Amino acid sequence: MPVKQLFAKAVAPRSPGVVTEKLRIPSLLTGVLAIAVATAAGLLLGPADIDRTNVLKELLDRVPLISVDSGLSAIQKNIIWEVRLPRVALGALVGGTLALSGASYQAVFRNPLADPYLLGAAAGAGLGATVAIVTGSGDGVGTFDLVPLLAFVGALAAVALTYLLGYSSGTQRSPAALLLAGVAVASFLTAVQTFIQQQNVETIRQVYSWILGRLNTASWDEVSLLAPYAFASAVLILVCRRILDVMRLGDFEASSLGIRPQLVRLVVICAASLGTAAAVAVSGLIAFVGIIVPHTVRLLIGASNRVVLPLSILFGAAFLVFVDLLGRSLASPAEIPIGVITAFCGAPFFVIVLRSSKRTLG
Amino acid sequence: MNLLVANGLGVRIEDVPILSDVSLSVKAGEWVSIVGPNGAGKTTLLSVMAGLRRASGSMSIQGRDLSEMTPRERARLLAYVPQHPEIPPGMTVNGYVLLGRTPHLSFLGMEGSHDFYLVEQVLEQFDLSSLGHRTLESLSGGELQRCHLARAIAQATPIVFLDEPTTALDLGHQQQALDRIRLLREEHRVTVVMTMHDLTLASQYSDRIILMAKGQIAAEGKPEEVLDPTRLSELYGAQVKVLKVDGHLVVVPSVSKENS
């Protein structure tokens, strides 16, 4: 065709004239630095009074080819490697996963209020965890505890139910039908969960503690439980980052550009829900991260999903590690539930960003 | 040679016929305008012909049935600019025009140097190079319209569908937009199918006009054959005159004496 002939000539090195939004080194380094600072703070600070220089020596000692005597006791070493580090690692994994899930839900639904729990994952997980707790199948601690397993199953089952209801509604398979199905499923499952909870008042404290979210029971078991799901979810979503920018045009225009919007939505919802369900299973319900982190990235750096998705992982991870540190430090030795501190710190910070940014939200 | 052939296209919404048994063909390199009063089915016909809306009947491009094509194959053949395209918040002009390259990339693929170079050329053609870093929401109506057209041209398809491309533009920008489409059509030999409300502009720029009414084709042919004042008055429910000024048709409303 003549059109092809004309464009066939257009083979040349990339021109610096067309610069698009993409992940740039300074933003990436800032994200990595934020995680590094958060990790360092998470390892150095805590209720146990351990000399920070010795902690640094202990860390150095684990670097291959370096041998340093940290002077820490076996208990202190245990606190660093078996309490603080898994807690930091779990916080980073949960934070990164929830922020990425939120960003991807916002992208596929083109809805700035979408969060990882939009399609009923929180309610499903809540019901699963409540059933496990009231039946005495677990208390949320340990490898073979049924709370994370039932929470995981509950979250995935709720999202699957929402998806089936939303796409069998006959309203031309619109994203709005899916959102409304999510509201219906979440309300129903929350009602069931509340009923079960009310019938078993003796476990109400445990259930409430789970619902507010926690990282205080973090262990390497939980880290290894979450890591494969978080990794798979992140890879699947990140490979869709360019397509998710096309989805910003809406289903009709995305279709006109050769995209199958429903297929993209299904893939991204599956990936994000898998990550969310695994995160919720090990940490309970931690609200706000999935909304605040992606929007902060949009306001400060850019709206393209090529930027928002990878940076949400980095800043989500750093944010939750910092917030957890505050939660365990502010009222030490007692702990403030992480869900409380997330909203308490996140909301004012977000308002400041919202007011000071000249960018618009996608 | 016919590039597009539609046979017996029909669309019903809640048992109301929106399109009924519409058959038409478009030749390669032709500029066809679909006109008609509000609710005539112009936009529905355009979206059905573009494969973006389900309909009864059949539609083929270059002899291939549209329903047998994958969305990506279809998007490599025809670009579609809706009447009110989405303006994603925070999206830059560069990023927006680059989206036109989507059908030429695999699902997981990223744009290469060829795509960037091509987009740069298109931006230049549309005088958008200096606006590349601006966000879409910061542009004027005329600049935005250029962005929409630029994205469609970056798609590098032999056919471009335009739904009311001059809506919300002032007289000058209407003319500039259509002149630009004419230039692109001549340079790239693109086939253009567009819906229009302005009968004068449609007659001056198109090779052929399809006049729609109540979901059916009421008349089609060269502008001077279709734009008959009696027919237009009847279909639009308005008194109109069709004049010839400097060899061009001009359709003007004429106020009846009883009303004046």
Side-chain angles (χ1 to χ4, degrees):
Chain A
M1 298 301 297
V3 171
K4 281 189 179 168
Q5 282 168 16
L6 181 120
F7 289 122
K9 289 187 290 184
V11 180
R14 181 178 170 175
S15 159
V18 182
V19 179
T20 52
E21 277 192 90
K22 61 175 186 176
L23 188 58
R24 298 188 192 286
I25 301 290
S27 310
L28 192 65
L29 285 181
T30 311
V32 172
L33 187 69
I35 291 188
V37 172
T39 303
L43 289 175
L44 293 172
L45 306 172
D49 189 22
I50 306 174
D51 185 79
R52 281 164 211 159
T53 317
N54 289 343
V55 175
L56 287 173
K57 282 182 186 169
E58 175 65 20
L59 294 175
L60 264 179
D61 189 43
R62 295 291 176 110
V63 177
L65 305 175
I66 297 177
S67 180
V68 185
D69 181 18
S70 65
L72 295 180
S73 68
I75 293 175
Q76 286 174 324
K77 284 183 182 178
N78 211 38
I79 289 174
I80 300 298
W81 297 110
E82 299 301 325
V83 178
R84 289 186 187 175
L85 191 57
R87 186 163 179 163
V88 165
L90 193 69
L93 277 177
V94 170
T97 303
L98 290 180
L100 178 66
S101 298
S104 29
Y105 274 127
Q106 286 147 25
V108 291
F109 289 107
R110 299 171 64 231
N111 182 341
L113 289 178
D115 77 352
Y117 309 138
L118 185 75
L119 300 182
L127 178 59
T130 305
V131 168
I133 292 169
V134 301
T135 55
S137 310
D139 55 7
V141 183
T143 313
F144 300 106
D145 191 86
L146 273 186
V147 171
L149 179 67
L150 289 193
F152 182 71
V153 170
L156 285 184
V159 174
L161 184 62
T162 296
Y163 202 84
L164 288 174
L165 286 175
Y167 274 173
S168 61
S169 62
T171 50
Q172 298 190 334
R173 297 185 166 196
S174 73
L178 202 54
L179 294 181
L180 290 171
V183 171
V185 167
S187 302
F188 181 77
L189 296 181
T190 304
V192 176
Q193 186 261 331
T194 309
F195 177 76
I196 294 174
Q197 188 182 304
Q198 291 299 323
Q199 296 299 306
N200 299 273
V201 284
E202 67 282 359
T203 55
I204 210 161
R205 194 183 164 90
Q206 266 176 283
V207 172
Y208 188 63
S209 154
W210 187 88
I211 282 175
L212 284 176
R214 73 261 181 93
L215 292 172
N216 55 339
T217 55
S219 68
W220 288 117
D221 287 338
E222 281 159 319
V223 173
S224 55
L225 203 69
L226 171 59
Y229 295 104
F231 182 73
S233 164
V235 169
L236 265 172
I237 293 169
L238 288 180
V239 296
C240 293
R241 65 195 187 283
R242 181 184 65 78
I243 297 291
L244 285 172
D245 267 349
V246 185
M247 293 284 283
R248 292 169 69 196
L249 296 173
D251 283 14
F252 186 82
E253 286 183 65
S255 298
S256 78
L257 286 168
I259 299 296
R260 296 177 197 264
Q262 285 170 28
L263 180 66
V264 175
R265 200 172 289 122
L266 177 63
V267 169
V268 172
I269 286 174
C270 283
S273 302
L274 194 68
T276 302
V280 167
V282 295
S283 67
L285 303 181
I286 299 175
F288 220 54
V289 182
I291 287 193
I292 189 174
V293 174
H295 282 317
T296 303
V297 174
R298 280 188 194 100
L299 287 166
L300 295 179
I301 299 165
S304 167
N305 286 308
R306 302 172 198 230
V307 174
V308 174
L309 296 173
L311 290 185
S312 289
I313 299 178
L314 298 180
F315 288 110
F319 175 74
L320 206 64
V321 173
F322 270 124
V323 162
D324 181 47
L325 184 63
L326 286 178
R328 61 188 158 104
S329 310
L330 287 180
S332 180
E335 289 206 9
I336 303 170
I338 193 161
V340 173
I341 206 91
T342 313
F344 193 76
C345 300
F349 172 71
F350 188 58
V351 169
I352 292 167
V353 174
L354 196 63
R355 287 179 63 89
S356 58
S357 176
K358 288 176 183 164
R359 291 176 189 268
T360 46
L361 286 167
Chain B
M1 181 199 163
N2 285 331
L3 184 62
L4 294 170
V5 178
N7 264 318
L9 298 179
V11 173
R12 297 178 79 85
I13 297 178
E14 293 174 358
D15 283 337
V16 178
I18 308 297
L19 273 189
S20 304
D21 197 24
V22 174
S23 298
L24 59 94
S25 58
V26 179
K27 290 188 174 67
E30 207 178 5
W31 184 332
V32 176
S33 288
I34 303 168
V35 300
N38 287 336
K42 304 184 292 292
T43 297
T44 306
L45 175 59
L46 201 68
S47 56
V48 165
M49 286 171 69
L52 298 170
R53 189 178 184 133
R54 286 184 188 183
S56 56
S58 69
M59 172 77 202
S60 67
I61 301 175
Q62 293 176 339
R64 273 192 73 195
D65 199 311
L66 199 64
S67 61
E68 290 171 3
M69 293 182 197
T70 64
R72 199 164 148 229
E73 284 174 333
R74 191 190 63 214
R76 286 173 167 193
L77 287 174
L78 59 91
Y80 186 97
V81 180
Q83 190 177 345
H84 301 293
E86 287 287 336
I87 311 293
M91 188 174 275
T92 62
V93 172
N94 281 343
Y96 185 73
V97 177
L98 197 62
L99 291 181
R101 300 302 300 155
T102 304
H104 302 275
L105 305 171
S106 65
F107 188 81
L108 303 179
M110 300 302 268
E111 302 88 350
S113 56
H114 170 74
D115 302 296
F116 285 107
Y117 183 70
L118 197 148
V119 165
E120 189 191 6
Q121 290 210 320
V122 173
L123 288 167
E124 248 176 57
Q125 274 186 314
F126 283 85
D127 298 330
L128 290 168
S129 300
S130 59
L131 305 177
H133 298 281
R134 295 258 302 270
T135 56
L136 294 176
E137 60 261 48
S138 71
L139 303 182
S140 69
E143 290 166 340
L144 261 181
Q145 186 61 15
R146 272 164 28 214
C147 286
H148 303 321
L149 290 175
R151 196 190 85 192
I153 295 303
Q155 213 170 320
T157 56
I159 309 161
V160 175
F161 282 12
L162 306 165
D163 191 6
E164 302 277 359
T166 55
T167 301
L169 295 183
D170 62 39
L171 193 63
H173 282 102
Q174 285 184 8
Q175 214 165 33
Q176 283 165 25
L178 293 172
D179 282 343
R180 208 175 283 274
I181 296 166
R182 179 151 66 187
L183 199 67
L184 288 165
R185 180 193 165 216
E186 285 162 8
E187 281 181 5
H188 300 196
R189 293 181 59 193
V190 176
T191 304
V192 179
V193 181
M194 70 174 188
T195 64
M196 276 290 268
H197 263 306
D198 192 315
L199 300 173
T200 301
L201 288 174
S203 75
Q204 290 181 3
Y205 284 90
S206 326
D207 300 318
R208 194 152 56 97
I209 286 184
I210 295 173
L211 177 62
M212 302 268 307
K214 295 177 182 170
Q216 291 181 313
I217 294 177
E220 70 171 302
K222 290 184 175 171
E224 54 270 27
E225 294 166 3
V226 174
L227 300 182
D228 171 67
T230 316
R231 182 188 284 140
L232 293 179
S233 298
E234 193 182 313
L235 289 180
Y236 281 86
Q239 296 295 314
V240 296
K241 280 183 180 169
V242 180
L243 312 172
K244 207 156 194 178
V245 181
D246 295 338
H248 295 295
L249 292 183
V250 177
V251 182
V252 288
S254 87
V255 180
S256 59
K257 283 184 180 166
E258 298 89 74
N259 291 341
S260 61

